[in-house]
C-alpha cells in the first residue's frame, strides 16, 4: 500500500518549493512531473525539433526517453539519458516548449504511465497539472494551489532575477499567461480543479504558511488511513 499526495496548479504558486520541503520534512518521495515534460522538451530542442509540426518525432522520442529523478538529502537532480540536466531544463526556451510537447496526447500517455510506475509501492508527493485528475484521481490527499496572475508573475520574475535570467516583469507575465492558457485548454489532461480537491489560494500566504497548512492536511489524512 502506498500513500499518495497529489498537488496541481499553475506555475508561480509555490508548488515546486513547497512540495520539496514537505517531502523532506515528512519523508515522502517527491516527483516533479513538470521536470519530466521539460526533459523531453530539452531533448527535442537539442535534436533540432522546435514545433508541433514534428509531432511524430516528438512521440517517438517520448517513447524511448530515459528520465531519472535522483533524490539526495537536500536536492533533487534530473537525469536525461544519464546526463544531469537539472539547470538546463529551466531556460525560457525549454519552459515554453515543455508546454507545447505536453499538449500531445500520446506524450501524456507515456508520461502518465512513467509517473504511475515511479510511485508504485511508495509514499509519495507528486506535483504537476493533471496529478489530481488523471494520474492519481484517487490520491489520499488532493490539493490545488492557486494565486493571482500578477502575484505569480511577480514571484517568477524575482526568482529569475535571482538566478541571473534576464526577463522583464512584463515579459514574464506574458509568457506565463500564454502557458497557463495552453496548459488549461489542451484536449487531454488540461490543468483544472478536481471536484474533490482542496483549493488553497497562496496569493497572500508565505511559503511557510502554505507548507504548514498542507502538512496538517496530510497528517490528518495519514492518521485516518492507518485507523
Ligand atoms: O511545472 P512546470 O512549470 O515545471 O511544468 C512545465 C510544463 O509541463 C507546463 O507548462 C505544463 C507541463 N506539465 C504538464 O502538462 N503536466 C504535468 N503533470 C506537469 C507539467
Amino acid at each position: 500500500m502506498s500513500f499518495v499526495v497529489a498537488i496541481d496548479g499553475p506555475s508561480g504558486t509555490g508548488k515546486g518549493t513547497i512540495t520539496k520541503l514537505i517531502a523532506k520534512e515528512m519523508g515522502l518521495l517527491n516527483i516533479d512531473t513538470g521536470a519530466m515534460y521539460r526533459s523531453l522538451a530539452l531533448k527535442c530542442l537539442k535534436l533540432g525539433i522546435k514545433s508541433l509540426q514534428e509531432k511524430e518525432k516528438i512521440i517517438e522520442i517520448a517513447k524511448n526517453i530515459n528520465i531519472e529523478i535522483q533524490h539526495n538529502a537536500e536536492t533533487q537532480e534530473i537525469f536525461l539519458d544519464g546526463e544531469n540536466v537539472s539547470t538546463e531544463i529551466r531556460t525560457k526556451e525549454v519552459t515554453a516548449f515543455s508546454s507545447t510537447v505536453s499538449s500531445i496526447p500520446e506524450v501524456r500517455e507515456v508520461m502518465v504511465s512513467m509517473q504511475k510506475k515511479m510511485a508504485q509501492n511508495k509514499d509519495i508527493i507528486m506535483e504537476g497539472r493533471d496529478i489530481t485528475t488523471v494520474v492519481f484521481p484517487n490520491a489520499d490527499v488532493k490539493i490545488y494551489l492557486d494565486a493571482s496572475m500578477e502575484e505569480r508573475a511577480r514571484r517568477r520574475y524575482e526568482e529569475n532575477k535571482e538566478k541571473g535570467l534576464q526577463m522583464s516583469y512584463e515579459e514574464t507575465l506574458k509568457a506565463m499567461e500564454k502557458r497557463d492558457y495552453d496548459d488549461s485548454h489542451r484536449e487531454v489532461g488540461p490543468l483544472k480543479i478536481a471536484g474533490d480537491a482542496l483549493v488553497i489560494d497562496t496569493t497572500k500566504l508565505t511559503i511557510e504558511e502554505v507548507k504548514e497548512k498542507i502538512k496538517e492536511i496530510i497528517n490528518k489524512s495519514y492518521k485516518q488511513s492507518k485507523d
Side-chain angles (χ1 to χ4, degrees):
M1 267 291 281
S2 65
F3 186 80
V4 178
V5 179
I7 303 196
D8 282 325
S11 51
T13 48
K15 238 177 347 133
T17 311
I18 292 161
T19 305
K20 258 182 229 136
L21 290 170
I22 294 177
K24 196 171 146 222
E25 291 175 24
M26 303 190 91
L28 299 167
L29 183 73
N30 175 22
I31 303 176
D32 170 2
T33 61
M36 298 169 72
Y37 289 94
R38 285 171 180 271
S39 299
L40 171 63
L42 174 65
K43 181 154 187 177
C44 291
L45 291 172
K46 279 188 170 175
L47 292 169
I49 298 165
K50 295 187 165 86
S51 84
L52 272 185
Q53 275 168 357
E54 296 186 90
K55 188 176 141 193
E56 295 311 320
K57 280 190 193 161
I58 301 174
I59 296 170
E60 233 5 76
I61 295 169
K63 282 183 180 163
N64 295 297
I65 204 163
N66 175 13
I67 300 169
E68 273 173 68
I69 307 181
Q70 218 177 74
H71 298 91
N72 308 320
E74 291 298 321
T75 55
Q76 178 185 252
E77 312 275 7
I78 315 297
F79 287 81
L80 168 62
D81 299 329
E83 188 193 342
N84 189 337
V85 293
S86 312
T87 309
E88 236 182 314
I89 56 169
R90 304 285 158 194
T91 64
K92 70 177 173 196
E93 290 76 20
V94 174
T95 301
F97 201 51
S98 61
S99 180
T100 308
V101 299
S102 75
S103 69
I104 305 170
E106 291 88 340
V107 163
R108 302 203 68 82
E109 208 178 295
V110 172
M111 291 291 170
V112 168
S113 134
M114 241 191 266
Q115 287 152 13
K116 283 184 178 162
K117 256 192 217 137
M118 282 176 170
Q120 247 166 24
N121 303 321
K122 298 192 179 89
D123 291 341
I124 62 143
I125 183 161
M126 189 180 277
E127 56 118 337
R129 303 291 188 287
D130 60 341
I131 314 306
T132 57
T133 53
V134 177
V135 187
F136 289 114
N138 298 318
D140 299 274
V141 175
K142 292 169 68 168
I143 289 169
Y144 186 95
L145 289 185
D146 213 348
S148 74
M149 176 63 82
E150 290 70 24
E151 174 61 14
R152 293 193 286 113
R154 190 195 62 76
R155 289 175 187 169
R156 189 46 49 87
Y157 168 70
E158 295 295 339
E159 213 177 287
N160 285 345
K161 209 163 68 175
E162 239 168 68
K163 283 189 204 151
L165 288 173
Q166 299 291 328
M167 216 165 156
S168 69
Y169 170 79
E170 286 71 27
E171 202 186 343
T172 310
L173 179 70
K174 245 190 174 163
M176 202 175 241
E177 275 172 346
K178 171 164 181 6
R179 199 149 70 97
D180 273 9
Y181 182 86
D182 291 345
D183 288 343
S184 42
H185 285 83
R186 62 175 171 240
E187 244 171 79
V188 179
L191 170 67
K192 64 175 182 196
I193 305 174
D196 53 352
L198 193 95
V199 181
I200 303 176
D201 185 341
T202 73
T203 308
K204 294 195 170 81
L205 301 177
T206 63
I207 291 282
E208 185 65 23
E209 285 169 332
V210 181
K211 186 192 78 181
E212 287 309 314
K213 215 178 229 232
I214 298 178
K215 276 176 73 176
E216 211 175 286
I217 298 163
I218 296 175
N219 270 328
K220 216 183 260 171
S221 164
Y222 193 75
K223 270 192 205 123
Q224 275 167 5
S225 80
K226 300 288 163 203
D227 282 346

